[in-house]
Amino acid sequence: MRPSSRVDSAVLFFHLAALALAIGPAVFFGAVVAPTLFRVLPTRDLAATVVSPVLSGACLLAEVAFGVLFATSFWLTREGVPRLMRSLLTRLPVAGFFAALVVHQLLIPPIDRIRREAPGLIDHLPAADPSRLLLERYHRLSTGFFGALLVTAIGMLLLTARLLSVASSGRRIPLRRFAPGMTRGDSGAASAQKGLPDQQHSRNDERPRPEVPGAGERVRDGVEPGQGTEERYRQEY
């Protein structure tokens, strides 16, 4: 992925905005809103009455954010991305979307119904009361799915950071084939030895070559070109 066009830049902007929308409200709700309400308000029923719509809104924002993340991840990983990273970036948004959907549509409505239909305040019911036991079970499920939603969003953030770091470097590691039993050091030595004859050959080409007399050159002192020293001695004496 390399944001080289306006479309890629716009898609990357929506991707990062969706990440902020998926992580920010969930972290703020789990770390600030819910603990503060249960600590400040006099009863847990009253705190749950306030927390329930806030949690529904946070899950709705997460559903929208994960839907956008699925589309943007599919676009940003269309080429030049390893298969594992592409698979994670396109499947984690689906998992986060369904985690938010379960909390929003399948767990919060039964919790609100149990509180409305309870014979009294949940805090005043005995520990073995069926309504209180069922409410605690739904609460554990909602906490687990909401935690999975948050973990999925953080995982998308880490994968996006990795994707951007790979795209900004723009470097690819060349793949070299090695013979069986050969290491990288052996490959380097072999390539160096392979280059030696070529270097020697080039050095030999640079040496000055002796000029050979042509076939039409005239005979000097009765000696033909290329004639040996003994024959020249005999002709002179």
Side-chain angles (χ1 to χ4, degrees):
M1 191 278 299
R2 184 174 297 177
S4 56
S5 64
R6 294 182 179 179
V7 176
D8 292 336
S9 300
V11 171
L12 183 59
F13 169 78
F14 284 110
H15 185 86
L16 297 178
L19 276 176
L21 192 62
I23 297 175
V27 171
F28 184 72
F29 173 82
V32 179
V33 176
T36 303
L37 290 176
F38 279 101
R39 185 179 65 254
V40 172
L41 295 179
T43 61
R44 296 178 62 87
D45 286 335
L46 185 58
T49 304
V50 180
V51 165
S52 180
V54 177
L55 180 59
S56 298
C59 290
L60 183 60
L61 290 177
E63 292 172 19
V64 175
F66 282 117
V68 175
L69 284 174
F70 175 77
T72 55
S73 298
F74 187 82
W75 176 268
L76 294 175
T77 59
R78 67 190 185 277
E79 59 181 5
V81 178
R83 182 178 299 178
L84 179 60
M85 183 178 293
R86 175 182 172 83
S87 177
L88 290 175
L89 282 171
T90 53
R91 293 180 183 179
L92 283 180
V94 178
F97 176 84
F98 280 105
L101 188 66
V102 167
V103 177
H104 185 205
Q105 298 293 336
L106 301 180
L107 296 178
I108 293 179
I111 290 175
D112 294 339
R113 185 176 62 252
I114 292 172
R115 292 185 182 279
R116 288 194 305 266
E117 297 175 356
L121 294 177
I122 298 296
D123 297 338
H124 297 163
L125 295 178
D129 187 81
S131 298
R132 187 165 184 172
L133 293 176
L134 188 60
L135 184 63
E136 291 178 355
R137 183 180 302 174
Y138 276 112
H139 179 70
R140 287 194 299 267
L141 287 174
S142 63
T143 303
F145 277 97
F146 191 77
L149 180 156
L150 187 56
V151 170
T152 303
I154 295 175
M156 286 293 299
L157 178 62
L158 296 177
L159 287 173
T160 302
R162 176 60 179 169
L163 179 65
L164 293 178
S165 65
V166 172
S168 61
S169 63
R171 294 179 300 178
R172 293 185 178 180
I173 301 175
L175 299 178
R176 297 181 179 179
R177 296 182 179 180
F178 302 99
M182 181 182 294
T183 61
R184 292 182 181 272
D186 298 337
S187 175
S191 61
Q193 292 179 0
K194 184 178 180 181
L196 264 178
D198 297 335
Q199 296 177 0
Q200 293 178 356
H201 182 71
S202 62
R203 291 178 181 176
N204 293 334
D205 292 341
E206 294 176 357
R207 295 178 181 177
R209 297 182 179 180
E211 298 181 359
V212 180
E217 187 177 356
R218 296 181 179 180
V219 180
R220 297 180 180 179
D221 299 332
V223 181
E224 296 180 357
Q227 192 174 8
T229 307
E230 296 181 358
E231 296 181 358
R232 180 180 296 181
Y233 180 81
R234 291 174 183 172
Q235 292 179 5
E236 291 179 355
Y237 299 97

